[in-house]
């Protein structure tokens, strides 16, 4: 007889819940923030610039502009690309809503193109057929940390004169054909939320090789003012002219001190993620009811999350029950993502179910397994034990 699931009152695999993501904060990170706290600067001081220089160098981009979140980074990038009312921006439905919301913030219209069923990244062929005379930009997402098909998307962008804004919230440290993500698209956005590859608490960055876009980004994060207060003080000017409608999207020196300390460890943090991902991949290859998204040879993924697809034909239940059963076993699995246009806000604005059938089919089967650098071998074993237990129970 199958072992009783914790969901039904059986003994859980783990006594405490293993989260799907967790930040890695070490003593040197704490010391870096304390040193910043004791300095003269709390908000925009020298550490912001130092973090920007280090980030630009890490992704081999000419400019990096630090902002207060990955969402602010997307908003600033969509602004810098000149998107406004009447403009269409093609994006992926399999993403956190912030990717599409950024287009709405500027009065533009998000258009969803379906994903590739293997990688779960937006399909360049689907993007190409959704281009209209109103399309101004493509906003692909590097799902789970795997770079999107920048070659395929680049063909459409060049042929139709469209900007590429790459949402690389999941992909700091990833590369595409040997080039780092952050150096390829017109604008690339990153997030430093604690679940991401490095953290500043909340935080984000936009990278670009274009001087004009960098200047627009810098103004946008500081109320649209032409100069920041240090330049103004140096010039002895009484005020700085406001030339754009910007926001206060500044990242603080405190946060950038944490960011600098974290960025120095990016490679080792990525290696620890790869180790977990490789153990999962090797073990799950032999589990019939689970399929792994394809990882294409052209890129090095950053493994922000570890998504798997359930083979529902082999199971007598649905994804939500598997999710609940795993959580009862102490494995904090999650789901990334419900198609963005299924959210009530989008549904109320005319986006209909059925728009992107592959993304919708993937959503019904997707499950994110825990993955973070500090996971131990025993943690990975617990996840695999719980998964085998739950899938074995529901096997058809
Ligand atoms: C794909 C994607 N884009 C954008 C964001 C927004 O980033 P933040 O939470 O830093 O605002 C996230 C964060 O969850 C994300 O996963």
């Amino acid at each position: 007889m199958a072992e009783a699931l914790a969901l039904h009152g059986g003994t859980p695999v783990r006594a405490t819940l293993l989260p799907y993501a967790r930040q890695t904060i070490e003593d040197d990170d704490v010391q870096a923030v304390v040193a910043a706290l004791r300095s003269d600067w709390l908000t925009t001081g020298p550490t912001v610039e130092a973090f920007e220089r280090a980030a630009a160098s890490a992704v081999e981009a000419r400019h990096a502009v630090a902002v207060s979140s990955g969402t602010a980074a997307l908003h600033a990038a969509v602004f810098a690309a000149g998107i406004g009312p009447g403009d269409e921006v093609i994006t992926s439905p399999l993403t956190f809503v912030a990717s599409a919301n950024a287009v709405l913030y500027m009065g533009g219209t998000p258009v969803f193109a379906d994903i590739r069923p293997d990688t779960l990244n937006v399909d360049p062929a689907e993007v190409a057929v959704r281009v209209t005379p109103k399309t101004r930009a493509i906003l692909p997402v590097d799902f789970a940390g795997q770079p999107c098909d920048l070659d395929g998307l680049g063909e459409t962008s060049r042929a139709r004169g469209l900007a590429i804004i790459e949402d690389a919230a999941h992909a700091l440290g990833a590369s595409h054909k040997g080039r780092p993500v952050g150096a390829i698209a017109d604008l690339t956005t990153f997030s430093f939320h604690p679940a991401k590859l490095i953290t500043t608490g909340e935080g984000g960055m936009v990278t670009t090789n274009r001087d004009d876009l960098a200047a627009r980004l810098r103004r946008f994060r500081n109320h649209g003012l032409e100069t920041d207060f240090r330049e103004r003080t140096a010039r002895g000017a009484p005020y700085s002219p406001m030339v754009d409608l910007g926001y206060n999207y500044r990242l603080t020196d405190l946060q950038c001190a944490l960011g600098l300390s974290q960025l120095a460890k990016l490679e080792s943090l990525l290696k620890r993620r790869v180790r977990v991902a490789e153990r999962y991949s090797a073990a799950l290859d032999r589990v019939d009811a689970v399929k792994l998204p394809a990882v294409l040879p052209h890129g090095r993924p950053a493994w922000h999350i570890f998504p798997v697809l359930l083979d529902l034909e082999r199971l007598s239940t649905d994804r939500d029950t598997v999710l609940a059963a795993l959580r009862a076993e102490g494995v904090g699995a999650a789901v990334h993502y419900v198609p963005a246009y299924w959210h009530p806000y989008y549904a109320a604005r005319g986006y209909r179910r059925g728009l992107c059938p592959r993304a919708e089919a993937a959503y019904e089967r997707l499950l994110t397994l825990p993955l973070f650098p500090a996971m131990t071998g025993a943690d990975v074993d617990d996840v695999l034990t719980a998964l085998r237990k739950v899938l074995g129970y529901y096997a058809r």
Side-chain angles (χ1 to χ4, degrees):
M1 223 184 79
E3 198 185 338
L5 297 183
L7 191 64
H8 303 148
T11 309
V13 170
R14 288 177 64 96
T16 55
L17 189 76
L18 181 70
Y20 89 88
R22 187 170 159 70
Q23 68 273 19
T24 307
I25 299 292
E26 294 164 332
D27 285 348
D28 55 345
D29 297 309
V30 174
Q31 280 157 17
V33 177
V34 170
L37 261 175
R38 294 205 166 108
S39 78
D40 288 343
W41 302 93
L42 293 187
T43 180
T44 313
T47 319
V48 176
E49 272 168 40
F51 183 39
E52 289 180 338
R53 271 197 305 277
S57 152
V59 306
E60 296 175 20
R62 223 169 126 77
H63 304 280
V65 178
V67 290
S68 53
S69 68
T71 305
L74 283 161
H75 190 181
V78 172
F79 165 81
I83 307 302
D87 295 335
E88 294 178 356
V89 177
I90 304 176
T91 190
S92 173
L94 198 67
T95 186
F96 183 57
V97 278
S99 317
N101 289 352
V103 179
L104 293 178
Y105 295 159
M106 293 308 307
T109 305
V111 172
F112 295 97
D114 213 347
I115 55 168
R116 281 176 56 146
D118 55 353
T119 63
L120 309 179
N121 272 330
V122 77
D123 185 341
E126 294 289 323
V127 170
V129 299
R130 282 171 172 74
V131 175
T132 74
K134 293 181 180 171
T135 309
R136 294 284 304 278
I138 308 171
L139 199 162
V141 179
D142 299 328
F143 181 71
Q146 170 160 215
C148 56
D149 184 346
L150 288 159
D151 289 344
L153 297 171
E155 275 175 35
T156 305
S157 92
R158 279 189 300 278
R160 309 296 291 260
L162 309 173
I164 296 188
I165 303 165
E166 183 178 356
D167 182 346
H170 300 186
L172 181 68
S175 60
H176 179 266
K177 294 191 171 165
R179 291 175 73 195
V181 163
I184 308 167
D186 298 287
L187 293 144
T188 307
T189 66
F190 298 97
S191 161
F192 307 133
H193 176 276
K196 298 299 191 307
L197 299 138
I198 65 166
T199 189
T200 58
E202 298 281 359
M205 189 77 82
V206 189
T207 61
T208 180
N209 289 324
R210 279 179 45 186
D211 299 351
D212 59 330
L213 295 180
R216 282 171 69 80
L217 294 166
R218 289 187 194 288
R219 283 200 299 273
F220 191 73
R221 69 147 173 217
N222 192 29
H223 307 280
L225 299 178
E226 208 167 54
T227 52
D228 75 15
F229 88 99
R230 281 180 303 168
E231 293 170 75
R232 191 168 75 238
T233 313
R235 283 189 205 172
Y239 74 97
S240 178
M242 182 196 127
V243 293
D244 291 313
L245 182 59
Y247 292 76
N248 177 353
Y249 278 163
R250 296 186 301 262
L251 196 62
T252 64
D253 252 39
L254 293 184
Q255 291 169 297
C256 289
L258 179 56
L260 257 178
S261 170
Q262 290 260 298
L263 191 60
K265 298 185 242 190
L266 177 62
E267 277 306 315
S268 77
L269 292 171
L270 289 175
K271 275 198 192 116
R272 290 159 76 180
R273 287 180 178 274
V274 167
R275 207 174 308 141
V276 176
E278 284 177 352
R279 288 194 57 174
Y280 275 150
S281 301
L284 294 175
D285 229 21
R286 296 188 297 274
V287 177
D288 286 341
V290 161
K291 281 200 197 117
L292 302 179
V295 177
L296 300 183
H298 69 231
R300 174 178 98 145
W303 291 117
H304 159 51
I305 53 171
F306 195 88
V308 301
L309 292 157
L310 296 178
D311 186 348
L312 293 176
E313 283 69 46
R314 290 175 183 270
L315 298 172
S316 60
T317 191
D318 57 12
R319 189 274 320 279
D320 286 350
T321 306
V322 173
L323 181 71
L326 284 172
R327 292 186 71 86
E329 298 296 341
V331 170
V335 175
H336 296 88
Y337 293 98
V338 62
Y341 58 81
W342 279 22
H343 283 283
Y345 186 90
Y346 282 87
R349 281 154 186 80
Y351 292 87
R352 296 273 167 266
R353 290 192 180 209
L355 205 56
C356 298
R358 293 183 206 149
E360 294 183 11
Y363 166 65
E364 305 286 356
R365 299 188 294 140
L366 269 169
L367 202 59
T368 298
L369 301 183
L371 170 58
F372 52 92
M375 266 179 81
T376 62
D379 291 333
V380 176
D381 289 344
D382 284 348
V383 175
L384 293 168
T385 303
L387 198 60
R388 288 194 193 102
K389 179 177 170 185
V390 169
L391 297 180
Y393 182 88
Y394 290 113
R396 256 210 242 268

